[in-house]
Amino acid sequence: MTLEAMQNAIAQGQDESDWERVRQQVQAGADPEPDEDSPDATELMRAALQQRRGRPPSLNPKTQIAIRLDRDVVEAFRSGGPGWQTRMNAALREWLATHPQ
């Protein structure tokens, strides 16, 4: 059955899926029955659904701080467009490299 045929069947109320039973099973926390054609499919689907979304964890996580800087300094970095905080971080890192602690 094509996607269009399935959509038409659903629109005409000819969907044979028992969605109420599915909702009840989900609410009850029931595990899906293993797929006899592909017994590991259930585990693969669970693993895929549990994958985190968004950015992957950073190897060098940033620390959020509050800092007061002169307005002209901030405006100079912001005038460069997006990425100004990254450029400011790079400038501070460069200063640290030339001024050992």
Side-chain angles (χ1 to χ4, degrees):
M1 182 179 273
T2 67
L3 177 60
E4 185 178 332
M6 285 191 285
Q7 289 172 337
N8 289 335
I10 291 169
Q12 296 172 5
Q14 298 172 353
D15 181 10
E16 295 180 9
S17 299
D18 186 358
W19 292 113
E20 185 57 35
R21 181 181 59 82
V22 171
R23 280 187 203 91
Q24 289 173 358
Q25 288 179 343
V26 168
Q27 289 175 351
D31 285 335
E33 295 177 11
D35 183 353
E36 62 191 36
D37 294 330
S38 180
D40 60 340
T42 303
E43 292 302 319
L44 291 173
M45 287 190 309
R46 279 195 191 127
L49 291 173
Q50 289 177 354
Q51 287 181 351
R52 295 185 64 194
R53 295 180 182 209
R55 286 185 173 174
S58 174
L59 297 176
N60 186 16
K62 307 291 185 199
T63 301
Q64 184 173 348
I65 62 167
I67 186 173
R68 294 183 181 272
L69 302 169
D70 292 332
R71 179 171 291 177
D72 61 324
V73 172
V74 174
E75 287 176 0
F77 277 95
R78 281 188 174 165
S79 69
W84 69 271
Q85 292 173 327
T86 302
R87 289 190 300 278
M88 186 178 281
N89 190 67
L92 288 169
R93 187 176 303 282
E94 183 180 322
W95 186 89
L96 284 172
T98 60
H99 297 80
Q101 298 295 319

